[in-house]
């Protein structure tokens, strides 16, 4: 990413060029209805994975992955690719997405 920004020398850079392979391939796309219904949990957990599996995590799988592979950070300390999870009043996750920059996020939510 740094090399691409340096090559631009202050000029415009298409945001998709700065994303990892998985999100880059999915910008401005819709899912194949014949394939698995890759939801927001799947997308958030595979942001940096160049060859993600199509196994779909349920709520328990999301919680287990977050507990074993990630550390909580405050929103002010969040950085590129960090997962943001929105919870309902019963502490159940209802949506997950990845931070790109500032208030810009990457989210894909199934079909």
């Amino acid at each position: 990413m740094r090399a691409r920004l340096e090559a631009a020398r202050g000029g415009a850079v298409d945001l998709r060029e700065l994303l990892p392979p998985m999100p880059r391939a999915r910008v401005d796309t819709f899912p194949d209805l014949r394939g698995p219904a890759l939801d927001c949990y799947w997308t958030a957990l595979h942001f940096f994975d160049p060859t993600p599996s199509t196994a779909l995590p349920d709520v328990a799988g999301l919680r287990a992955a977050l507990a074993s592979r990630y550390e909580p950070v405050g929103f002010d300390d969040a950085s590129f690719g960090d997962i943001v999870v929105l919870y309902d009043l019963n502490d159940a996750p209802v949506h997950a997405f990845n931070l790109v920059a500032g208030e810009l996020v990457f989210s894909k939510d199934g079909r």
Side-chain angles (χ1 to χ4, degrees), residues 18-24 42-50 70 80-83 98-100 106:
L18 304 177
L19 295 173
M22 189 284 292
R24 183 182 323 130
W42 181 90
T43 302
L45 292 172
H46 293 289
F47 187 78
F48 289 111
D49 191 348
Y70 298 90
F80 179 75
D82 282 352
I83 297 174
N98 300 90
L99 181 66
V100 174
F106 182 80

Side-chain angles (χ1 to χ4, degrees), residues 48-74:
F48 289 111
D49 191 348
T51 55
S53 74
T54 56
L56 296 170
D58 55 8
V59 170
L62 173 68
R63 287 183 190 271
L66 292 174
S68 66
R69 298 178 9 212
Y70 298 90
E71 293 181 25
V73 297

Side-chain angles (χ1 to χ4, degrees), residues 31-38 111:
D32 181 346
L33 296 178
R34 297 165 295 191
L38 304 176
R111 298 184 175 148

Side-chain angles (χ1 to χ4, degrees), residues 6 11 21 55 84:
E6 289 173 356
V84 178

